[in-house]
Structures are given as C-alpha cells and as structure tokens.
Amino acid sequence: MAFAAAAAVVTLNVGGELFQTTTATLSRAGTSSTLAALGPSSPSAPHFLDGDPRLFAQLLSFLRHGRLPAPAPPSAALLVEARRFALEGALLASISPASAFAPLSLRLSALLPLAGRAASSAVAVCASTPQPASLVAAHGGVVTCFDAALATRTSVLTPLPAVDSLVAVSPALALAGARDFPGVHLCRFSDDATAAAPLAASVPDVLSWPGSSSATVLSMVATAASGAPSAPWLFASFESARRNSSAIVAFDLNSLSPVAEIGRKEVFGADVEAAIPATKLGWLGEHNLLLAAGSHSSPGGVVGDIRLWDVRASVTVPVWEVREKEDCFADVSASDALSALFKVGAASGEVFMADLRRLGNGGGIGLEPWVCIGDGQRAAAAASSRRKEGNGCKIECYCNWVFVARGADVEVWTQVELAPEAGGKKVMKRNWVGSGPSIGEEAVKEKAKIVSWAFGGSRMALARADKRSVELWDSAPAAICANT
C-alpha cells in the first residue's frame, strides 16, 4: 500500500520550481487537459512545464480545493495560464456559480466604464453557459465585451445608431438589434476559432427576416443547448419597415441560418390591435415554450396579447393565448423554476402571477389567468382607471426569483412556504435588493432609471439611463467568504 501511494505522486518542475501532487488531483483537470495525462514521477526526474510557478501554484490550489485561494476574480494572466491547460472554463465557473446567487446578498461590486460619449443602452451575459463567462454592454452603436475577470475588454462598432436588443452567444460572439435599423448584427470579439462555436465562412454579418431584409428587430432571446428544441436557437422578433407585418424567426445558433417562422401577423385595414408584434420574448427550456408578448397604446388605453408557443409541436398555432385590456402588462417574464408567468400591470404597477400548470387546462383568449401577488385592492382600483403607474417598469425571472425594476430601484419576489398552522401553502414575498453598496456611497449617490439588466451565475448587471458605465452586482464574494 505504501508503494502504491508513492507511485501516485507526481513531481513537476514549473519554471525552475518543484511542485508535488498526486495523479488524482491532476485528473480533476479533465481529459482535455495535458495535466491529467501526466503520470507518477520522482523529484530526480520531474515533468517539466514551461510556465510561471506563481500562477501554476494558484491553478494547483484550484484543482485541490475547487476554488481559488482568494475570493477575488482571477487575473488576466491567470486566465491565459489556465487556458494553456484547458482549465479556463472550470475556473470561470467557480468564481460566479449560479448556486452562489443570493438576491438579498447582492452588493455593488464594480462599475465598468464604457468608452465614448454614448450612455449604456443594453446589457447581456453569455447564454451558452450557466456562469457569466462574459458580460456584453451596448453604448450607442458600440458593443463591448468584458471577460469574466473584468480584466480585458474588446469593442465592436456596429452600423446601428443605438442598440435596443442584445444577446451574448459566447465569449467571442454577440448579436445586436435596433428598432429603427434592419437586421440582427453579428459582433465578433475574437478570431480564435476555439473561443466560440465554429461558423461557416458563408455566414453573413447580418441576420434578416427571409423575404424582408429591411425588417427591424423588436426583441431577441437565445436558448441553451440543453433546453433547445434540437440545437441552440436564437428567436428574433421582426417588424417590417412599413409596420404592416411581423413575425418571429428562429435561427440555428450553430449555423446562424433561419429555420422557422413563427406567428406571422399582417395588418388589414385599421385593425392594428389584431397584429400587435412581439416586443418581449422569453424561453422556458424545461417546458419547451417560447413566450411572445406585445402591447399597443391607444386613446382607449393599453391593449396587449401574450402567447406561448411549443416550437416542437407547431409554429402556426400557439398552445395558449390571452388578450389583455384591463391593466395590461407593462412587462412580462417567464420562470422555469416556478412554472409561472409574471407581469407588472401597466395601470396599477402591481405584480401578477399565472400558473403554467393551470394554463394548459383549457386556457384560451378571454380567460383571466392572473393572480395579483401584490396589493390586490390597488390592482382592482387601477384596472378601471387610466393610471399608468406601471409604465417603464421591468420584470425578469432568474432561478427561483422574480425581479422588478421600478425606476432606479430593484425589488425581488421570493417564494416562501407558510407554517403548517397557516395552511402550509407557498406564497410570494417582496424584498428590496441592495441594502448598501460595497464600493462607496458616492458611486451610486445619484441613481438613474434602469434601462436594461441581465443575470448570470451569481451576478446582476445594470445599465442606467444617461450613464456611461455598467453596474455589476455580485453575491458570490459573501458566499465564498462564508465557506472559508
């Protein structure tokens, strides 16, 4: 047994400094790493690796303990060294895991300045991985990509006057769209073929609605490979230049070619409400449902419709649809984890919930699915008025939580279970995010309206009106410190 244990010891000479570990530790690097293939060796005949011993010591500690010695994000040099040994992905996953996300522990951890004079208009995190392998921000017609360590950035200039829709496909590719400029524009941040899924040479720089190359983009959402119908997809909502037709187009993210047209609408005469385009898209991977919602404001009030499409079953008929006239949504989102839709009422500003399991039981146009989880009396009073207290509010679901942006502030709704004596049922409770910033009061003293946000790993990114920076809120540092 003593001989077997000694035989498992591996001695490494890294840049002139000796390290000793075991084959079991090195095997945690994975089969794609050269470290996993190194066999036992003695101090008199070590394996030689040409590298920086200080950086290698951090990587070896990561393999031993599953995390870096310090809770701070890795440096750019460490990421380069990790890439040599195929450890970059695992390292990035460890610094901001979704399991460490705690909305009530979110603290402002960084302000990311953006070059130029344009304010930030959209933010996104990488959709292909559960951790934020990269953060992408749009400012004017420029799209800037930050790496996970926030140590490097790369910018791409697009022909768009201002980016409204933004999707991060990979650390090397983002997709940008605008409501007043045609097409989905590809933003490539790296020529490294290993950094993103390979694209065919024939892939254009602009993705268009087939047959309507002048159509503008109203909204986009990407699917992860595990939750996509077959391969990862991009869904883009297009509206024709004359605003008399619209459709959602599905693109294969591997080839970036259009594969399906969903829910085409045409305006006939003055019946504008019958052809409201989708201005908000969402994806429910566990349920295989595409959420498409749009609204229209008129002198008589706000009217909208919400549709759910099972893209595997049909791209012509939605599996569920509701037309909203009383307290129509200001924004709507979908949650896989909670199996529900959520909306903010445009009139009341209150939050409503619709159980997906009930929608399948004969749901159709005219059926009221919503249950107010906020102030029910206020919602009922606002439904018959022309108040617009929810205008400008945003709502987004991430993991088990629902976030609502009201002007400059963010509230979070959490599902809690009541005590048995109170019935034991589950209800939604509201709290506010960010009781105190961690980088100083001066940086956030003048908070502006939130215009875009994104979630990934343990992070929340915010873009505010007229601000040439992106706020990064993180709950991972507190979780890491608690485990040390």
Side-chain angles (χ1 to χ4, degrees):
M1 293 295 293
F3 177 81
V9 174
V10 182
T11 304
L12 305 170
N13 179 350
V14 183
E17 186 172 329
L18 292 181
F19 292 85
Q20 282 195 314
T21 184
T22 65
T23 53
T25 296
L26 294 180
S27 68
R28 295 172 189 159
T31 56
S32 59
S33 174
T34 55
L35 295 177
L38 298 177
S41 58
S42 65
S44 60
H47 297 290
F48 177 74
L49 300 176
D50 187 12
D52 187 329
R54 294 171 299 176
L55 297 176
F56 187 80
Q58 295 183 60
L59 293 179
L60 188 57
S61 176
F62 170 70
L63 290 177
R64 286 169 174 159
H65 305 294
R67 54 182 171 82
L68 293 173
S75 64
L78 183 59
L79 288 175
V80 171
E81 193 74 359
R83 192 176 299 126
R84 289 183 53 205
F85 301 110
L87 284 172
E88 183 185 26
L91 195 63
L92 293 177
S94 72
I95 66 173
S96 183
S99 59
F101 187 83
L104 299 184
S105 298
L106 283 169
R107 294 295 181 269
L108 183 57
S109 59
L111 280 177
L112 309 178
L114 301 172
R117 298 183 179 181
S120 57
S121 59
V123 289
V125 295
C126 188
S128 60
T129 53
Q131 74 279 0
S134 59
L135 169 68
V136 182
H139 42 116
V142 179
V143 178
T144 297
C145 179
F146 298 84
D147 68 1
L150 310 179
T152 60
R153 68 183 71 189
T154 307
S155 295
V156 172
L157 177 62
T158 73
L160 302 172
V163 175
D164 301 321
S165 303
L166 190 62
V167 168
V169 178
S170 76
L173 178 66
L175 305 174
R179 297 192 178 194
D180 55 358
F181 203 90
V184 176
H185 293 254
L186 276 64
C187 303
R188 295 183 173 92
F189 302 109
S190 173
D191 294 329
D192 183 3
T194 64
L199 297 177
S202 59
V203 171
D205 291 329
V206 180
L207 309 180
S208 301
W209 179 8
S212 183
S213 59
S214 61
T216 59
V217 179
L218 303 180
S219 180
M220 294 189 294
V221 68
T223 73
S226 59
S230 55
W233 282 15
L234 169 75
F235 297 100
S237 176
F238 287 94
E239 185 177 39
S240 65
R242 298 178 61 186
R243 297 188 175 181
N244 59 352
S245 61
S246 64
I248 301 167
V249 180
F251 296 88
D252 186 323
L253 277 179
N254 290 330
S255 63
L256 291 179
S257 57
V259 293
E261 181 180 286
I262 303 169
R264 185 184 181 107
K265 295 182 178 181
E266 303 280 353
V267 176
F268 296 102
D271 191 11
V272 177
E273 293 182 0
I276 299 173
T279 54
K280 177 67 178 283
L281 298 178
W283 176 249
L284 289 153
E286 295 296 325
H287 297 78
N288 192 55
L289 292 174
L290 173 67
L291 166 69
S295 61
H296 171 73
S297 182
S298 67
V302 182
V303 177
D305 62 27
I306 302 173
R307 297 182 176 189
L308 292 176
W309 301 84
D310 186 339
V311 295
R312 286 179 177 173
S314 172
V315 295
T316 57
V317 180
V319 295
W320 179 80
E321 179 180 7
V322 64
R323 172 61 57 86
E324 299 209 315
K325 291 186 177 182
E326 293 185 356
D327 205 5
C328 179
F329 61 89
D331 194 16
V332 62
S333 186
S335 172
D336 254 331
L338 299 175
S339 295
L341 302 181
F342 294 87
K343 77 166 184 176
V344 178
S348 66
E350 294 299 325
V351 180
F352 296 79
M353 176 180 179
D355 192 330
L356 285 176
R357 291 163 294 188
R358 295 182 59 189
L359 300 184
N361 298 326
I365 298 176
L367 179 67
E368 176 56 54
W370 300 107
V371 175
C372 181
I373 60 175
D375 188 332
Q377 291 184 344
R378 177 172 173 163
S384 58
S385 71
R386 293 191 177 183
R387 287 188 291 180
K388 298 181 179 180
E389 297 186 18
N391 271 9
C393 290
K394 297 181 179 297
I395 189 166
E396 199 62 59
C397 300
Y398 180 61
C399 296
N400 295 314
W401 301 281
V402 182
F403 295 85
V404 179
R406 298 185 185 277
D409 299 310
V410 179
E411 66 184 41
V412 58
W413 291 81
T414 307
Q415 189 178 68
V416 297
E417 187 170 352
L418 298 178
E421 56 269 20
K425 65 178 182 178
K426 295 180 179 179
V427 297
M428 301 294 294
K429 294 292 186 180
R430 179 175 66 175
N431 285 285
W432 292 94
V433 172
S435 58
S438 59
I439 65 171
E441 292 290 343
E442 289 298 320
V444 293
K445 184 170 59 176
E446 297 181 1
K447 294 192 296 184
K449 178 182 177 181
I450 296 168
V451 296
S452 179
W453 55 0
F455 299 84
S458 64
R459 293 172 172 173
M460 174 180 72
L462 298 179
R464 296 186 184 271
D466 302 323
K467 298 295 182 180
R468 296 194 296 270
S469 62
V470 173
E471 294 178 11
L472 191 66
W473 295 66
D474 208 329
S475 56
I480 293 174
C481 292
N483 295 328
T484 57

